[in-house]
Amino acid sequence: RTAICFDVLPNEPTQSIELNPIFLIPGHVQNVRLFFNAGSDIVCGGKVELTCSQGIKVLPPEVNVENGDWKSKCTFNLEPCKPDEKITMIVTVKCDAIGSYDASHSLNDDDGIENSITQTLQAIIKTSYHHNLYASLNSGEAIEHPPMSAILAATVTTLKYPALTISDSNAYRYNENQVVVSATVHCNTPVPFSLKEWDITFPSPLCLEDGEDFNKGLFERSIIEGEELFFGFKCRLDFAEEKPDTTVKPLLNIVLQDSFGKTFSQVLPLSLEKFYDQVKNEHQRGTSNIANVQFNLSNQNGLVGSPVTFVCDIDCSNLTLTKDNSEVLFD
């Protein structure tokens, strides 16, 4: 009798894929790295398929961002791989902003944060492969047997909230025209970022004092999820140029930097409406019911020792008259 023996080997693929970073920041264009590891398999090739949910667009590898055609779905080839070989594919992803200021300083609806649908980028790789024992059995010759197939998947989502949010902001007036503005910034990113730079803009009448930066210790500081940063700015009230503007919000612009050197600008509005309303009311009360009087010397010069004639121009535009008070008296 002749006995025939067979070695039955498992056909589970040992390949793996990974997407990095592990999250996307809303309102930004960023690079996503797709890492493919062949494991112990002989990969004959494959197809990579990227699918985006609403709010995300993608460009395949080696496509210029400026001239590229952004798509919600794209497909490209995966090159053959030997056992233990690794391939890195870099794609560019663009995400819509969620409940924050975008790059054009256009404000989205804050109510949309809680009701927003999570944006998702999904990567699926379909490969054809052989077991690694074929490499030793065929001694480098072409494998004639049909390959097995494998499907690998990975996903990455956007943050539910912007990377940074303002949890509290206040303005404290410590004398007539001097104000300190404070802002508490909450970090929502699962991985650390560093602070590269920041600046703040105020609508009239608040003006930032030159050289008064209380936040120098935060430069290049690493922040993690759940951490809060406290910013302070010394300002002054200046009514010289225009009336108080309550239609524009103060904006704190913070630039974050990740471990790859990629920067992300976060434009954060400060809620100082009560302070601006108070300043506006005080300014209106201070300038109301006051008549401006201008004295001009008469063109006819008087004699020495005699009275000089002046022409008096009175501006009553700021006076508020009631029905019971139709006369204005001047001393």
Side-chain angles (χ1 to χ4, degrees), residues 1 50 156 196 213 243 275 293:
R1 254 186 194 187
L50 299 178
V156 60
K196 184 178 181 182
D213 189 354
K243 296 181 180 180
F275 175 79
V293 181

Side-chain angles (χ1 to χ4, degrees), residues 164-181:
L164 299 176
T165 51
I166 297 291
S167 59
D168 189 28
S169 57
N170 292 286
Y172 303 96
R173 198 169 178 175
Y174 61 92
N175 63 34
E176 184 177 358
N177 291 319
Q178 300 295 322
V179 180
V180 171
V181 175

